[in-house]
Amino acid sequence: MPKFGPISRRDLIRYLRQLGFEGPYPGGKHHYMIRETKRLAIPNPHQGDIGRGLLHRILQQANVSREIWEDL
């Protein structure tokens, strides 16, 4: 059950897979994950965690509510 806050890239990918996304696949400037016809860009690996603001934008693009995210 991830809380809505900073998260590592590895954990983000793991939780997105639980939501039915496949990948990540390389492409362009960023890796991406796919669920049905939805293509979701994933941040590149970097030193720190993914912050709340970026996590919020990623979840909006994935059509995942905060409640669904925290219920994983």
Side-chain angles (χ1 to χ4, degrees), residues 17 42 72:
R17 285 182 179 154
I42 301 297
L72 287 178

Side-chain angles (χ1 to χ4, degrees), residues 5-6 22 30 33 45 71:
E22 297 177 2
H30 295 279
M33 296 183 78
D71 285 342

